[in-house]
Amino acid sequence: MPVAREVLPLATLLPRAWFGFSQSPWRCVGLAALILIGLMGPGVLAHDLQRSAWPLLAWLGNLLLACSLLVPIAPTMALLQLADQLLSASVAEPPEHQRQPASLLWLWRQGVALLTLEVLILAGGLSSIRMLSEALSPRSGVLASAVIVVGGFALILWIGSQLLALPLLVHHRHRPLAAMEHSRHLVYSNRLKVLALIGLLLGLNALGLMGACLGLLISLPLSALVLMASCRTQTS
């Protein structure tokens, strides 16, 4: 019996995202503002503290910089969960598919674990490429260059395969490893559609960067809705 193939509903992503955004625009904009504040606010404050002549303030700046990497994850997970709920409300789903929303603390923990795994894998890949190229460079510069090119290309492919890991974690309540594996299968079985999806996301946020970046307050929620709509795959 053939296994059903998941297909991205590319043609309906943007209309569904806009309809979901219109259901609760101010909540979407508010969460997008929290993401931007979480990305920029603690980092700016940490930079000022690190420049202090007092060792304690400089240490607090380093601690705040480390914490600032975790701060935006909470509003990001909240925005993805809101996008999932708005899309669910826009379509009449069967009772067996309707679930209670997961707690934000659980989503935050799973999101931190997922991003930590991805960062560790990426750092390990970069370190391996560097060590192998340095070992080969005294013997053959061509081989060392080939290792960098092939390894870099493999890492880019892996990063692309994890595009939907976080949205799938929110939508399906996956654990981190299950979300990473599901995203890899989904991306590899929809390569051309994923390229179009990446282009759509880049285009939305390029438009959002206009007007002193205020457009990001709209493009970020639309991007979250597009990603969550991508998790509602069709089977063929």
Side-chain angles (χ1 to χ4, degrees):
M1 182 176 178
V3 179
R5 175 175 173 265
E6 291 184 287
V7 179
L8 291 180
L10 187 62
T12 60
L13 290 182
L14 200 53
R16 292 173 69 181
W18 180 254
F19 182 77
F21 179 78
S22 66
Q23 302 304 302
S24 185
W26 292 113
R27 290 176 65 190
C28 293
V29 169
L31 287 172
L34 286 177
I35 293 173
L36 294 175
I37 292 171
L39 283 172
M40 295 183 291
V44 173
L45 182 57
H47 179 67
D48 290 340
L49 289 174
Q50 286 174 331
R51 297 174 61 185
S52 173
W54 292 4
L56 179 60
L57 289 180
W59 180 82
L60 287 175
N62 294 329
L63 181 62
L64 183 59
L65 182 62
C67 293
S68 68
L69 301 176
L70 303 177
V71 171
I73 298 177
T76 300
M77 302 306 290
L79 179 58
L80 289 173
Q81 186 180 46
L82 175 61
D84 193 42
Q85 293 170 358
L86 292 174
L87 291 170
S88 297
S90 64
V91 178
E93 294 186 339
E96 62 270 16
H97 292 170
Q98 296 177 2
R99 294 169 297 179
Q100 293 296 324
S103 69
L104 186 57
L105 179 60
W106 184 88
L107 288 175
W108 182 81
R109 290 202 307 264
Q110 300 304 316
V112 169
L114 173 64
L115 293 175
T116 301
L117 279 174
E118 292 181 340
V119 169
L120 288 176
I121 292 172
L122 181 60
L126 290 173
S127 299
S128 300
I129 293 171
R130 179 182 176 184
M131 292 173 59
L132 191 56
S133 64
E134 288 179 350
L136 291 174
S137 58
R139 297 172 176 83
S140 173
V142 175
L143 284 178
S145 301
V147 166
I148 294 174
V149 172
V150 174
F153 184 69
L155 279 181
I156 291 172
L157 288 179
W158 180 82
I159 292 170
S161 73
Q162 299 305 307
L163 174 66
L164 298 173
L166 209 57
L168 287 169
L169 184 147
V170 174
H171 181 64
H172 291 289
R173 311 291 191 266
H174 280 323
R175 296 291 180 175
L177 289 176
M180 292 169 68
E181 184 65 15
H182 192 175
S183 176
R184 186 181 68 84
H185 281 297
L186 189 56
V187 169
Y188 284 168
S189 60
N190 296 269
R191 296 179 182 86
L192 295 179
K193 290 187 175 182
V194 168
L195 288 176
L197 173 62
I198 292 173
L200 175 61
L201 294 173
L202 291 176
L204 281 175
N205 290 286
L207 291 174
L209 288 171
M210 299 178 182
C213 298
L214 291 178
L216 290 174
L217 296 176
I218 296 176
S219 66
L220 286 179
L222 283 176
S223 298
L225 284 157
V226 165
L227 287 171
M228 294 311 301
S230 300
C231 297
R232 290 164 160 78
T233 57
Q234 301 167 347
T235 55
S236 64

